[in-house]
Amino acid sequence: MRSTVLFLVAFTAAAVLGRLTATTAASALSGLSLVWPAAGVAVLWATQVRRPRQALAAAGLMAASVTVVNVLTGIPASQAPAFAASNLVHAAVGAGVLCLLRAGPRPMTSVRGASLVLVGSFAAAAAGAAVLFVATPVYVDGPLAAFLVLVRNLVSTALVLSVAWTWPPKASEVVAARRAEAAVLLAATVAGYWLVFLVADGLNIAYATIPLTLWAAMRLGRFLTSAHLVLTWSATVTLTVLGHGPFAGAGSPTTRVLLAQGFLAVLALVAMSVAISRHEREELLEAVRVSEARARRSVDTAFAGHVSLRLRPDGTTTEVRTANPATATLLRRAAGEVVGSDWLALVHSDDVREVRAGLVAVASGRAASWEGDARVLLPDGTARWLHVLVGADLVGRDGDAVRGARLTVQMVDATDRKDAEQRLTRLALHDELTGLPNRTLLLDRLAQGLAGARRDGSSVGVLFVDLDRFKAVNDTFGHQTGDELLVLVARRLCEAVRPADTVARLGGDEFVVCCPGLAGPADADAFAARLMERMAEPLVVGRTALDVGVSGGLTLSEPDDDPQRLLERADAAMYRAKRAGRGRITREGSVVPAPR
């Protein structure tokens, strides 16, 4: 209800203002108004109607208001309904076209939206002029009068909608500096129009007012530009009707007003296009600033380290341009120490080559990104594993050469993961109790040894060792003592072998020694004797000397052997030693007894 009353008051006031131009200076046009701001208010009112009942009420109030105003200001009562019908059709067509074009509730925020407003205004003005031309064939020059109605309603509608749909203005458009500039522009506009329309009366220098309008469009935003256009429109039409200004010598009042409003229409089109384009640019820049600020906040508050690098053309140095706080934490350095430093200088020497290759690949465009693990050196000399992701930030190229490429590097602490991987790898390949290689790793070492033996013609010796009377130790002293005994035996075996040999535990009290590069049986027997001598020393756990011996089976590889077959032959030889009385090592037909 409140909005209906406001629209009714605004429409009536606009109609009275329009009729003043006709009653004071337009008698030659049979009372036709030269400006009609009520046309814009009518379309604006119609766009706010949402229900059929509201539409009927608005149409009734609009028709009654314009009829009363026209009759009271000299329009014959017989013609007043035609003017009312023209206004209703104008409002309905304008609102309908804007709705069909989906102009939206506030279309004056983009050039596309402003174009839709212009199309809707033209359609409304054309429809209203056609109705008035058909319904009131009383004018001496009907087509010219209809054209005047078309132009006046087009300009009126476009300007009123521009002002209405740019209110309220953005905060940046009404700050103190802009208000002061708007006041200066107002004074300049008054002075300019005084010079153009009064001092230089009759001279064709209408173009002298264009800079003032462009000033508003380029500096003061959409709303103040619309307000400026309304002010200049009112001043131009009024002074032209009164016979002043550059259009005063253009013939009849109709021609003068048509030229003036045509000039204003072109000026308004250019000015609003500039103002809206500037608004779109500001909105885009603001969106970019907000996006950049959010990105910076995200980077600065991220748990992951983030640095921006500049890679030299030769790929030798990487200057850190920016670094977030997480980077300083990861590198245990102050942020000031990180920025400006060579990032590759912080990378462990064993990983520099791989990291540099990844950086150059991304910078040159051969790869979209590079991801991998690398160690960085901390100030205390220790190394920390980082998981690194490299992407292109800004890449400049000269042919295929990298020219100071900008890269972004993200990193997270991978030390715990790498430690876990190493623990899992060790558990998968080593015996948990003794730390010796298990069967899986032993088979791999045997395969490597056999491959080397085929190349150089040597042999691989495999010694399968089993403890004698180990079960009695477990039964008498407990499993804790038995485990300590196994650790002691593992240590003895490792002390007895060469650095290239492998000592493995298969489980229980069974051990295997892999000896690659043996020249023949003599080397194998010498190795077995040395091991038996070392194992003959007393085995003391705590304060208890344990009566435990060893039995073993020794075999040498053949050219066509595989790891599993070697183990099986050594196992069989060990059982022959057990059956022969224990405390000895057997090898195909020979025995190496344990020293006593």
Side-chain angles (χ1 to χ4, degrees):
M1 182 63 183
R2 181 180 178 185
S3 62
T4 300
V5 173
L6 291 176
F7 273 118
L8 178 61
V9 171
F11 178 78
T12 303
V16 171
L17 179 63
R19 290 299 301 151
L20 288 176
T21 61
T23 57
T24 58
S27 58
L29 296 176
S30 302
L32 188 64
S33 299
L34 300 179
V35 295
W36 193 246
V41 178
V43 174
L44 184 64
W45 190 354
T47 60
Q48 304 305 308
V49 173
R50 295 292 180 266
R51 298 175 182 175
R53 183 177 298 177
Q54 290 179 335
L56 290 175
L61 291 173
M62 201 181 300
S65 173
V66 73
T67 299
V68 171
V69 170
N70 280 331
V71 170
L72 292 179
T73 54
I75 294 293
S78 60
Q79 297 180 18
F83 285 97
S86 174
N87 280 271
L88 293 179
V89 170
H90 178 96
V93 170
V97 170
L98 291 174
C99 180
L100 289 175
L101 295 177
R102 299 186 179 183
R106 297 183 67 82
M108 299 299 291
T109 57
S110 66
V111 172
R112 176 186 175 277
S115 301
L116 298 181
V117 170
L118 185 61
V119 171
S121 299
F122 179 80
V131 169
L132 195 62
F133 176 70
V134 172
T136 59
V138 296
Y139 297 107
V140 175
D141 193 350
L144 185 60
F147 185 67
L148 174 61
V149 171
L150 171 64
V151 173
R152 76 165 195 192
N153 286 4
L154 169 61
V155 176
S156 301
T157 303
L159 288 179
V160 170
L161 293 180
S162 297
V163 173
W165 282 337
T166 54
W167 176 268
K170 288 184 61 179
S172 60
E173 298 177 356
V174 293
V175 294
R178 293 291 173 88
R179 289 200 298 268
E181 189 172 355
V184 173
L185 175 61
L186 175 61
T189 301
V190 172
Y193 274 77
W194 178 71
L195 288 172
V196 171
F197 281 85
L198 297 178
V199 176
D201 196 5
L203 294 179
N204 189 16
I205 55 172
Y207 56 84
T209 62
I210 295 176
L212 297 171
T213 303
L214 292 181
W215 177 6
M218 298 179 69
R219 293 284 303 162
L220 301 180
R222 300 163 302 143
F223 173 73
L224 291 178
T225 300
S226 301
H228 173 82
L229 287 171
V230 170
L231 174 63
T232 57
W233 170 52
S234 303
T236 300
V237 171
T238 301
L239 292 172
T240 299
V241 168
L242 293 175
H244 298 289
F247 306 105
S252 67
T254 302
T255 304
R256 294 198 299 268
V257 173
L258 280 174
L259 287 175
Q261 296 211 59
F263 170 75
L264 289 169
V266 174
L267 186 61
L269 179 62
V270 174
M272 289 308 297
S273 297
V274 171
I276 292 172
S277 296
R278 181 176 177 275
H279 172 76
E280 286 185 309
R281 180 175 177 272
E282 288 181 346
E283 290 286 311
L284 180 60
L285 291 176
E286 180 64 21
V288 170
R289 284 193 291 268
V290 171
S291 179
E292 288 179 347
R294 288 175 178 170
R296 282 195 297 270
R297 284 197 299 271
S298 297
V299 169
D300 289 343
T301 59
F303 288 107
H306 186 285
V307 298
S308 175
L309 304 178
R310 184 182 293 279
L311 182 67
R312 292 283 182 89
D314 56 5
T316 55
T317 58
T318 49
E319 180 188 359
V320 177
R321 305 302 299 274
T322 61
N324 69 342
T327 301
T329 302
L330 285 172
L331 301 180
R332 293 185 184 171
R333 288 173 169 84
E337 296 180 46
V338 178
V339 176
S341 65
D342 180 7
W343 189 68
L344 278 178
L346 304 177
V347 179
H348 195 281
S349 58
D350 293 343
D351 302 326
V352 167
R353 184 174 181 180
E354 180 183 3
V355 174
R356 179 184 288 116
L359 293 174
V360 173
V362 174
S364 63
R366 296 196 305 271
S369 62
W370 178 83
E371 190 172 2
D373 295 329
R375 286 162 291 181
V376 293
L377 299 174
L378 302 179
D380 60 3
T382 60
R384 165 176 282 172
W385 279 102
L386 297 179
H387 184 70
V388 179
L389 175 62
V390 180
D393 182 11
L394 179 62
V395 180
R397 301 181 191 174
D398 183 10
D400 292 330
V402 179
R403 238 180 42 183
R406 289 284 297 272
L407 305 172
T408 59
V409 179
Q410 300 178 63
M411 61 196 84
V412 294
D413 191 349
T415 304
D416 292 342
R417 176 173 61 80
K418 297 295 288 189
D419 290 346
E421 289 176 354
Q422 292 174 359
R423 286 195 299 270
L424 290 174
T425 301
R426 184 168 183 81
L427 289 174
L429 299 176
H430 292 80
D431 173 56
E432 186 175 0
L433 176 64
T434 62
L436 296 177
N438 60 12
R439 177 183 290 272
T440 301
L441 185 54
L442 172 64
L443 291 174
D444 180 72
R445 299 281 175 83
L446 285 173
Q448 294 179 31
L450 289 173
R454 294 188 189 99
R455 288 194 299 270
D456 58 20
S458 62
S459 297
V460 177
V462 176
L463 176 62
F464 203 114
V465 177
D466 186 83
L467 299 185
D468 298 329
R469 297 177 295 278
F470 177 70
K471 185 176 183 302
V473 172
N474 272 339
D475 294 343
T476 303
F477 299 101
H479 289 283
Q480 178 65 33
T481 300
D483 288 346
E484 294 178 13
L485 173 61
L486 292 174
V487 174
L488 178 59
V489 170
R491 188 182 310 123
R492 289 275 183 92
L493 290 174
C494 290
E495 292 169 353
V497 301
R498 304 169 303 175
D501 298 338
T502 298
V503 179
R505 181 188 176 210
L506 300 188
D509 59 345
E510 294 179 339
F511 298 84
V512 174
V513 182
C514 169
C515 305
L518 297 181
D523 279 357
D525 290 344
F527 159 71
R530 186 170 65 252
L531 187 141
M532 291 298 290
E533 181 178 358
R534 185 74 176 86
M535 294 304 299
E537 298 175 6
L539 293 169
V540 180
V541 176
R543 297 181 179 181
T544 304
L546 302 176
D547 182 20
V548 177
V550 296
S551 296
L554 178 62
T555 186
L556 288 174
S557 65
E558 301 293 338
D560 60 344
D561 268 336
D562 60 50
Q564 190 60 42
R565 190 182 305 169
L566 271 178
L567 279 180
E568 290 173 356
R569 290 212 308 270
D571 188 29
M574 184 271 293
Y575 277 105
R576 286 198 300 273
K578 289 277 191 180
R579 288 194 298 270
R582 301 181 180 178
R584 66 195 69 204
I585 295 176
T586 62
R587 178 184 62 79
E588 287 91 3
S590 65
V591 177
V592 181
R596 296 291 183 186

